Amino acid sequence: MLIVDKPIKSTVEDFLDRKDFATNISNAILNYSDADNSSLTIGLYGKWGSGKTSIINMITENLESKENIIIVQFEPWIFSDTQQLISNFFKAFAKAVKHKDYADEAKKIGEELETYATFFEPISLIPEPTVSILSIASSKVFGSIGRASKKWGELKRKNLSDTKLSIEKHLQKLNKKILIIVDDIDRLNNTEIRQIFQMIKVLGNFPNTIYLSSMDREVVINALSEVQKGDGSEYLEKIINVPFVVPSISNEEVQKFLREKLDEIIKDEDDESFDKNYWGNIYHRGYKYFFKNIRDIVRYTNVLRFNYGVLKNKVNVVDLMASTALQVFEPKIFESIRANKDLFVGSIPENRYGGDFVKEEIKSFIEESYENLQALSKEAYLDLLKELFVKIKEVYSNTHYVGSSSQCRKDAKICSEVYFDTYFTMVLNEKELSSYEMKGYIKKIADEERFKQDILQLNEQGKITGFLEKLQDFTSTDIPKESFQPLINVLMDVGDSFPIGDKGMFSFGNSMQIMRIFHQLLIRVKNKKERFEILKTAMEKAENSIHIMTEDVSIHMQEHGEYDEEAQPASECTIEKEDLLILKEILLSKISIWTERHNLLEHENALSILYVWLRLQNEQVKDYVSKQIQDDSNLLLFLKLFISFGRRQSANDYTMHTYKTYNYKDIDMFIDIETVIERVRNIHVNEDELAVYAVENFISQYNNSENIERLKK
């Protein structure tokens, strides 16, 4: 939902902590004593977007429950007809005073004000604030008999001066203050600004009356200087008796509000998919300088909310936030980047001639673009570009980043040739499959061999993750039951060749996506035996994968409570327990064949396969691992399996950092540590950082365990 750029209504919404400022003004209004029977004019000065109206709303909230004050709200900029500005003011004044809950004296004042308003209906431009204005208004009224109102009888009996005097007498008798709020005077044109002030100073100068007028002081002064042909500041000082300046919003408060709004928009982003180190660099090297006030944030987050809604899980969220900021605050820069894609995507050519030419072209482009900057300094702009685009960083650092194009594509960044256009067009990039394409693939599932080739091609093109995600949109009704067997056959057979997959907001890795597809299809098959037969056939046919069937059997084992968890009710299990026993036997047979043909320790999911196998054949697993690790390279592979990764943030850091931990305690589930410790102490490790980490931690934790045993003795 888009946020409307509107002020707060109550002190409970005051996240900028300005309620004390509003309370002080409220108290000053309540305590004001009218000694000379003339009005008081308070000026509330603040720039556009500084929160003037929010402060006025809090003042109104403080005063509206007080019995001794009547509040009149007047927004002059909503009237399109300049000629009616003054008459509409007094009509609004009359309506507020004639409120049904006020005393008879107030109602009389309201009636008088209605008559008073009629005098000004034909007036367009008002001369200098002198007494003669009253006679001018009277003559114009009586020269417009054809447009006389229902108050014509009153006009015949009184002239303008008499009516004003009558209002003043009633106001003196009324035991209430009148607070007239005139908001956003700076929205008016120059002539209207002068009209409002002349009205306040002459026509609306009543006893017990307080005007609270909000404005951008510089805008108003410039307007008055233009129309007065004189010193606008001096003119304003004669009108405003008590000036207040809106407390400035600190940059810290602006940035805090920005972070809160960003959290609201991307709250569902997975921590693993959100690169906080990269975000920290983007934020501190350019992004944060876009935002000067709250309105900047509201304007920006409205656009970001839309962009994120379209591209969620399709592009890099940090790049999307940064590119949206350019779109909102630097539109000319945004369009020029869009029109010069070749200067921004990919890397600088490694050959010297081509590289030097491209570098000069990029530098020239950036130098020329400086003149189009509206929000950022040159330094912040360049720093932001260097973070967003590897190519720009290479130009200014004279460094070539090997493999950067692949990484940008993998992370769906704006610097990738594949994803660049999506940030500007909001159109899904070529790696995404449309519903039309998905339906085409679904129609071909029944032809198992053809479908298998399609899947392998999608995998080569890097589209398989998107395919698996989108396929789940069709599993409930669109895939016919006759296609279940070939679909499960293919995924069971080639699933291990798929990349692990992104772990984004709705992603659980490609193997888990396959498990979800299996489950969603099989629950449409009401007969459990039929479900079993589908899985049995797929496992028996599979020759190219071992992890997918291991994962599938593991899930059914969990359903039946074989992982020290309470079993699901039998009615909720996908297959019967006796059929699960058969699937386990098939899996063990497949593992036996697999381990004869392949080194299981090299499998991307080796540890998860070993854990399941260990539950089924404890001794066989240990024998297999023991034989494999006789080779030092396999021993290193085995030790590396127990490295796990996490993220944390220290007190002095802006961003999260990736850290490693070593799961030493599970190693003795597979091997006798005493049989390998001396080999590990002397093993040769090349420049494999993870192998070094595994060896060092293995030895360190072994030594610690030995020391603990000695202390026990």
Side-chain angles (χ1 to χ4, degrees), residues 270-288:
D270 187 81
D271 278 345
E272 288 188 27
S273 65
F274 187 83
D275 187 340
K276 291 186 178 180
N277 289 322
Y278 180 53
W279 161 241
N281 291 336
I282 289 289
Y283 177 81
H284 290 291
R285 292 177 183 164
Y287 178 87
K288 66 182 180 181

Side-chain angles (χ1 to χ4, degrees), residues 447-464:
D447 185 343
E448 185 174 329
E449 189 56 37
R450 182 180 177 185
F451 178 65
K452 181 178 179 179
Q453 295 306 313
D454 286 340
I455 290 296
L456 292 173
Q457 186 178 41
L458 286 171
N459 192 34
E460 289 177 4
Q461 295 171 346
K463 297 180 180 180
I464 192 64

Side-chain angles (χ1 to χ4, degrees), residues 37-56:
N37 292 326
S38 61
S39 62
L40 173 74
T41 304
I42 299 172
L44 184 61
Y45 298 149
K47 295 291 185 183
W48 182 86
S50 62
K52 300 184 293 295
T53 304
S54 294
I55 291 172
I56 285 176

Side-chain angles (χ1 to χ4, degrees), residues 124-140:
S124 56
L125 300 181
I126 300 178
E128 284 302 300
T130 64
V131 178
S132 62
I133 190 173
L134 302 178
S135 59
I136 292 172
S138 297
S139 65
K140 287 193 176 231

Side-chain angles (χ1 to χ4, degrees), residues 97-108 174 176:
V97 174
K98 285 180 67 178
H99 192 279
K100 63 180 180 179
D101 295 333
Y102 294 153
D104 291 341
E105 193 69 36
K107 290 182 173 63
K108 290 178 182 178
L174 184 67
K176 291 180 184 290

Side-chain angles (χ1 to χ4, degrees), residues 481-695:
K481 289 186 178 181
E482 58 268 24
S483 295
F484 288 8
Q485 187 70 66
L487 173 56
I488 293 176
N489 287 352
V490 170
L491 294 181
M492 189 79 79
D493 184 40
V494 301
D496 279 17
S497 66
F498 301 162
I500 290 178
D502 297 330
K503 296 182 179 179
M505 189 169 117
F506 296 112
S507 179
F508 301 91
N510 284 332
S511 63
M512 187 54 65
Q513 299 286 5
I514 293 171
M515 295 302 105
R516 289 166 62 87
I517 291 167
F518 288 178
H519 175 74
Q520 291 161 8
L521 293 177
L522 291 175
I523 59 174
R524 290 175 57 192
V525 178
K526 301 306 179 186
N527 187 292
K528 288 189 178 183
K529 185 61 71 174
E530 191 177 343
R531 296 176 185 171
F532 160 70
E533 291 295 339
I534 291 174
L535 292 174
K536 176 174 175 287
T537 299
M539 290 178 65
E540 289 175 337
K541 289 191 67 174
E543 297 179 349
N544 301 296
S545 295
I546 191 64
H547 176 247
I548 295 300
M549 66 176 70
T550 304
E551 191 88 357
D552 185 61
V553 170
S554 176
I555 287 174
H556 299 305
M557 291 168 64
Q558 291 177 50
E559 288 182 350
H560 286 281
E562 297 188 21
Y563 279 81
D564 301 323
E565 299 173 356
E566 185 178 348
Q568 293 183 10
S571 61
E572 295 180 11
C573 292
T574 307
I575 59 176
E576 300 293 353
K577 193 171 184 66
E578 57 268 25
D579 291 330
L580 174 58
L581 293 174
I582 298 173
L583 295 187
K584 289 180 183 178
E585 291 300 321
I586 296 172
L587 174 62
L588 291 174
S589 173
K590 290 290 183 178
I591 289 176
S592 176
I593 295 171
W594 181 274
T595 53
E596 289 177 4
R597 298 174 178 174
H598 308 280
N599 182 357
L600 184 57
L601 300 182
E602 294 178 347
H603 197 289
E604 201 167 24
N605 293 287
L607 191 58
S608 64
I609 298 169
L610 288 171
Y611 278 134
V612 176
W613 189 11
L614 191 69
R615 283 185 173 272
L616 300 177
Q617 288 184 322
N618 187 288
E619 294 304 318
Q620 289 89 333
V621 175
K622 291 181 178 180
D623 287 344
Y624 174 78
V625 173
S626 177
K627 291 176 182 177
Q628 291 298 110
I629 64 175
Q630 296 305 310
D631 178 82
D632 282 357
S633 61
N634 282 340
L635 178 58
L636 289 175
L637 285 174
F638 176 74
L639 295 178
K640 284 163 62 176
L641 295 179
F642 298 89
I643 300 173
S644 59
F645 298 87
R647 297 173 72 84
R648 66 187 171 200
Q649 183 176 13
S650 66
N652 297 322
D653 287 332
Y654 287 111
T655 58
M656 299 289 287
H657 297 280
T658 299
Y659 68 95
K660 298 185 289 290
T661 56
Y662 198 70
N663 187 17
Y664 173 81
K665 64 182 180 62
D666 278 2
I667 294 178
D668 64 1
M669 295 170 62
F670 299 95
I671 64 172
D672 180 354
I673 292 176
E674 294 294 339
T675 64
V676 299
I677 183 61
E678 290 306 318
R679 283 180 58 206
V680 175
R681 292 186 194 277
N682 298 294
I683 201 167
H684 177 70
V685 182
N686 293 321
E687 297 180 358
D688 185 338
E689 180 184 344
L690 292 179
V692 171
Y693 177 84
V695 168

Side-chain angles (χ1 to χ4, degrees), residues 182-452:
V182 186
D183 196 10
D184 287 332
I185 289 177
D186 45 52
R187 289 197 187 187
L188 301 172
N189 64 41
N190 294 358
T191 301
E192 290 169 337
I193 289 174
R194 186 178 70 169
Q195 276 189 307
I196 283 292
F197 286 132
Q198 290 173 333
M199 177 197 71
I200 290 173
K201 200 64 178 176
V202 181
L203 302 176
N205 184 18
F206 297 117
N208 293 326
T209 303
I210 302 170
Y211 288 91
L212 176 58
S213 305
S214 73
M215 68 200 81
D216 182 326
R217 185 175 182 274
E218 294 304 315
V219 171
V220 168
I221 286 175
N222 291 336
L224 291 173
S225 296
E226 180 69 24
V227 76
Q228 291 289 119
K229 305 301 180 185
D231 189 343
S233 177
E234 184 178 335
Y235 184 98
L236 184 62
E237 288 174 3
K238 292 179 181 178
I239 304 296
I240 302 299
N241 305 120
V242 182
F244 287 100
V245 178
V246 172
S248 60
I249 305 173
S250 70
N251 182 60
E252 181 181 350
E253 290 171 316
V254 171
Q255 297 301 321
K256 179 183 177 183
F257 183 66
L258 172 63
R259 290 192 293 271
E260 289 174 357
K261 292 303 172 186
L262 292 177
D263 284 341
E264 289 177 11
I265 294 173
I266 65 167
K267 61 181 182 298
D268 294 324
E269 277 291 315
D270 187 81
D271 278 345
E272 288 188 27
S273 65
F274 187 83
D275 187 340
K276 291 186 178 180
N277 289 322
Y278 180 53
W279 161 241
N281 291 336
I282 289 289
Y283 177 81
H284 290 291
R285 292 177 183 164
Y287 178 87
K288 66 182 180 181
Y289 300 114
F290 284 113
F291 307 97
K292 310 296 191 303
N293 54 51
I294 301 303
R295 268 191 186 152
D296 284 346
I297 296 171
V298 172
R299 186 159 65 103
Y300 166 77
T301 52
N302 276 339
V303 180
L304 178 63
R305 198 179 301 272
F306 175 83
N307 290 353
Y308 183 72
V310 174
L311 298 177
K312 182 170 60 178
N313 295 331
K314 308 302 180 189
V315 297
N316 185 285
V317 67
V318 175
D319 281 11
L320 182 62
M321 290 191 289
S323 64
T324 300
L326 287 169
Q327 178 187 357
V328 173
F329 301 110
E330 299 288 2
K332 292 181 180 179
I333 298 292
F334 183 76
E335 288 301 322
S336 64
I337 292 174
R338 175 182 183 173
N340 291 273
K341 177 179 179 179
D342 290 344
L343 297 181
F344 290 91
V345 299
S347 297
I348 298 295
E350 292 191 64
N351 67 81
R352 182 170 183 179
Y353 173 76
D356 289 346
F357 176 80
V358 173
K359 287 180 181 179
E360 289 305 315
E361 190 177 12
I362 290 173
K363 285 183 177 180
S364 176
F365 172 87
I366 291 175
E367 288 289 334
E368 291 175 6
S369 69
Y370 284 152
E371 65 183 36
N372 292 323
L373 287 171
Q374 299 175 18
L376 294 180
S377 66
K378 293 179 181 179
E379 293 76 13
Y381 165 58
L382 182 56
D383 284 346
L384 183 62
L385 290 185
K386 288 190 288 187
E387 288 299 326
L388 285 173
F389 300 100
V390 174
K391 204 170 194 177
I392 307 301
K393 183 183 289 188
E394 289 178 335
V395 169
Y396 288 91
S397 66
N398 288 318
T399 302
H400 181 71
Y401 295 91
V402 179
S404 59
S405 295
S406 175
Q407 190 65 42
C408 286
R409 182 175 62 251
K410 177 184 175 183
D411 295 337
K413 289 186 175 182
I414 193 172
C415 58
S416 166
E417 184 173 3
V418 174
Y419 288 94
F420 178 89
D421 293 329
T422 305
Y423 288 87
F424 299 91
T425 64
M426 298 294 117
V427 176
L428 299 179
N429 63 64
E430 64 181 30
K431 286 200 172 185
E432 297 298 331
L433 297 167
S434 68
S435 294
Y436 177 83
E437 290 174 301
M438 290 299 300
K439 291 176 182 177
Y441 285 117
I442 290 169
K443 289 178 181 178
K444 294 186 286 185
I445 291 175
D447 185 343
E448 185 174 329
E449 189 56 37
R450 182 180 177 185
F451 178 65
K452 181 178 179 179

